[in-house]
Amino acid sequence: MELEFSYSMLCEFSNPIKEHHFALKCLPLDTNRQHIIELQLNIEPHLKYNTQSDSFGNQIMYGSIPYLHDRFYVVLSGRAETGLDVCEYHQADDYMLDLYRTPSRYTKPGAELKRFFQKAYVSGLSNYEMSLHFMDTLYEYFSYETGATTIKTTAEEALRKWRGVCQDYAHILTAALRMAKIPSRYVVGMMLGEGASHAWVDVHCKGYWYGLDLTHNKLVDENYIKISHGRDYGDCIVSRGVFHNFTQQTQQIKVIVKNSNQ
């Protein structure tokens, strides 16, 4: 499938700022699941920027704006060929797999996660079967509700409420998988018809990474475009920045993904 996508982020400041240093993590990569055919980027105010890869293989754009400005606008658009494969070949070193088996800031288990794991874990299942079992079980009881959590909510905190959004779904499933010693990574991307950025989980089974979307209780397919992955949300934050002058900041993000053939 060929998908057209647009990712826009508008940051507005109540007072003009300067010496604005930023790092953006919103560039989708070529993988076994997707090929980026076309990519355009516009940043206002206009400036020169550089790119580099982080330790997880994600692309980071970084730069600085020395002069006064009261808005920062980024528009990324392009086309991607998706559905090339159902999985990604494993190209990481073994130490990376160990990292993805280890609890992180947002996925550290507490009493609620441990209770869930004891009830849901089934011995004798393969890693792939166990991953699907956790996804099915969590989907049955967890409810999607905006406003119930924040971007700082951990998997343990969200599971206590049994409510949350895609970030919480992904953190909880990641936490459960790591408790079973199954390597898993948090993923940020875009989805056809979603209207916002989305989060899901990559699980490592038999030498491959498979995408699991607990929010929709399905395997990741040609309707998804991956942007970044890491241990949890903290490794995939789209925008980071520091600047001079005290100000209040608002941020608006808009995502459009559509089928190029429709």
Side-chain angles (χ1 to χ4, degrees), residues 14 16 36-37 44 110 113 122 138 147 153 166 185 224:
S14 58
I36 307 304
I37 303 170
E44 298 178 9
L113 272 163
V122 179
L138 285 165
T153 302
C166 61
R185 58 192 187 189
Y224 295 75

Side-chain angles (χ1 to χ4, degrees), residues 41 60-61 93 104 126 145 155 161 176-178 182 192-193 196 203 219 257-258:
L41 176 67
I60 305 174
M61 298 180 294
D93 294 327
S104 58
S126 68
E145 182 178 325
K161 299 180 177 182
L177 291 168
R178 290 178 182 169
I182 302 174
L192 181 66
V203 58
L219 289 170
V257 179
K258 60 183 181 180

Side-chain angles (χ1 to χ4, degrees), residues 11 34 41 59 70 94 107 109 119 132 154 165-166 205 213:
C11 297
Q34 66 189 34
L41 176 67
Q59 287 292 297
D70 59 7
D94 288 340
T107 64
K119 292 180 180 180
L132 294 180
T154 66
V165 294
C166 61
C205 302
D213 182 3

